Amino acid sequence: MKLTILSTSDIHGYIYPTDYKQRNQDLPFGLLKIGSIIKDIRAKETDPVLVIDNGDFLQGSPLTYYTAKQTKHPAHYTSILNDIGFDAGVLGNHEFNYGKKYLADAIETLDHPILCANILNDQGKPAFGKPYELFTFDKLTVAVLGLTTQYIPNWEQPSSITGLSFQSAVTCAQEYVPKLQELADVVIVSYHGGFEKDLTTGEPTEALTGENEGSELLKRIPGIDVLLTGHQHREIAALNSSVAIVQPGDKGHNIGKVSLTIEKEDGKFAILSKKAELISAKDTLPSPTMTEKYNSFQNEIEDWLDQKIGDLEGDMWIQDPFQVRLTGHPYIDFIHKVQMEATGTTISGTALFTNDSKGFGPTVTMRDIVTNYIYPNTLAVVKVTGNDLKRALEKSASYFSPSTNGQLEISPAFLYPKAQQYNYDMYAGVDYTIDVSLPLGSRIRHLSYNGKLIQKDDRLEVVINQYRAVGGGNYDMFSADKIIREVTVDMTELIAEYFNKYSPIQPSTLDNFKVIQSKKTLLTH
């Protein structure tokens, strides 16, 4: 018998082959393209095919934002997942972004079971669906165990995870995998998390915080036949110590495929061979049936995105994302102004989340807003010490690496194994200098507020997004207990409200920081 396991992960609501920056695109990704691949494989295979989604399906695109915030009915979106025909799914960290009720409503509408063994309720039982599922194919029993990164409390606003506890994926697998070995002939672990160490050398590739435990699962949990991963948006297909592993990237660029050849001998099943590969969606056409079925909903979203929100007297186009992070930019300073206006604060921190951000032209639409500010963030005001603020700036300053030719570079830690451009923050309301020639942890100079140097014991109110306020991005100087007030309206709505109040807006810069190397000013803002 041949058993085929197909895995999607980090779809993030990208159903059609578009990033929504404009209408009528045909980009090399999307769940409708993946759906065509799944349908084709199912049609060709006479032996069993299992299709598993590895999480981060509920949030991430204008389509999912529109579904959650405008229609408020997840079935508008989850019906698409049902038409694909998954056999099981796992929770990702972004499933919690729209709150517990919306997540519960979404799970209720799915035709396939959600598997999550390591997120527990206050009785210590799995809080969502089942911990695992057993599938039987002609007396062959296949177990699928669902696990989710334990690091969610470090990102999510507390109200979205009240009453939940998050167990280590490794600790949980130690409990379940031996049991599943007794119950099943094949053990699959679907883990919404990635690898914290190099798969070849075993050397750490990131801070070992527990966010990603894939390498430890491989090392410490015998009995796993297939490990499906995600979260890092990497593209991986390999055999590691006889375990078949895949990670298919994001947005439906690829589908992971694991092929097992299985033989029954003396009443027992044995796996004779394993093959792991990625199948690209690049040259695949979206399912015409599903495209037609959901075309009216897609057009409804496109019309909503095209509505005009406001005007600029000029523009805030972004030509070079790295230059933005070096020198600041009117778009970033505009976000600061929105944040400070909404919270009544005078110090603000924000990031340019992705290199795909294009900024704003003279006419600003909802499409411009949601394709630049891509996360459903709310705002929090934290009360911190001067030392806390300096440590946060030092963390951001580690984004840069000095170079002998005088040209700054990006630190590899912000690029590999997962791009983390969103973890470099720029601040407004304070003046500061980043000296990249100095050692990490001591790069911030001349940090001042209202013309006075900030002392380590000064008490300051700072507005940042909720993700950062609870310590997201390993900013451990921030935490939920330092939040003194919140604005629970999404930033996209706050941006639209700001335009409604002040349009037309004059682009401007705040000129409050500089980046230097070896005492020579490279660029100023």
Side-chain angles (χ1 to χ4, degrees), residues 127-141:
F128 298 94
K130 307 175 180 179
Y132 63 87
E133 184 72 277
L134 299 177
F135 298 89
T136 302
F137 307 104
D138 191 22
K139 298 184 180 181
L140 174 77
T141 302

Side-chain angles (χ1 to χ4, degrees), residues 91 96 100 103 107 114-133 144-148 162-167 172-173 175-176 179:
L91 293 183
F96 295 86
K100 290 174 68 176
L103 173 55
I107 292 174
I114 287 294
L115 311 178
C116 188
N118 66 317
I119 302 179
L120 310 178
N121 59 24
D122 50 14
Q123 282 83 45
K125 303 294 184 181
F128 298 94
K130 307 175 180 179
Y132 63 87
E133 184 72 277
V144 181
L145 175 68
L147 299 170
T148 303
T162 303
L164 301 176
S165 61
F166 297 79
Q167 189 180 25
C172 188
E175 174 188 353
Y176 278 99
K179 180 190 302 183

Side-chain angles (χ1 to χ4, degrees), residues 51-55 57 86-91 112-116 146 190:
V51 184
I52 301 168
D53 179 71
N54 194 54
F57 64 89
F86 290 98
D87 294 299
V90 173
L91 293 183
H112 60 266
I114 287 294
L115 311 178
C116 188
S190 187

Side-chain angles (χ1 to χ4, degrees), residues 397-445:
S398 67
Y399 178 80
F400 299 108
S401 290
S403 174
T404 55
N405 64 9
Q407 298 296 314
L408 293 181
E409 298 174 352
I410 302 171
S411 169
F414 284 79
L415 298 174
Y416 182 83
K418 178 182 179 180
Q420 300 182 50
Q421 312 285 5
Y422 51 83
N423 278 330
Y424 169 71
D425 291 336
M426 293 160 276
Y427 278 77
V430 292
D431 294 279
Y432 59 98
T433 297
I434 298 175
D435 187 344
V436 183
S437 65
L438 296 177
L440 293 174
S442 58
R443 289 178 168 182
I444 301 301
R445 299 170 54 189

Side-chain angles (χ1 to χ4, degrees), residues 282-294:
K282 181 180 179 181
D283 298 321
T284 302
L285 293 175
S287 163
T289 302
M290 290 185 63
T291 299
E292 182 178 354
K293 180 176 180 179
Y294 295 103

Side-chain angles (χ1 to χ4, degrees), residues 157 335 338-343 348-349 373 377-381 463-466 469 483 485-491 494:
Q157 52 187 344
I335 298 298
V338 173
Q339 295 190 164
M340 291 189 283
E341 165 100 358
T343 57
S348 169
Y373 204 100
N377 285 330
T378 57
L379 297 178
V381 177
V463 57
I464 46 183
N465 65 52
Q466 180 73 37
I483 297 174
R485 61 183 183 274
E486 298 179 66
V487 175
T488 57
V489 179
D490 282 356
M491 263 297 287
L494 293 176

Side-chain angles (χ1 to χ4, degrees), residues 7-8 79 137 194 206 235 240 286 313 336 342 367 396 399 415 420 471 483 497 520:
S7 173
T8 60
S79 60
F137 307 104
E206 63 187 38
E235 297 184 353
N240 187 287
E313 294 180 350
H336 284 311
R367 187 185 303 276
S396 284
Y399 178 80
L415 298 174
Q420 300 182 50
I483 297 174
E497 289 175 8
K520 178 181 179 181

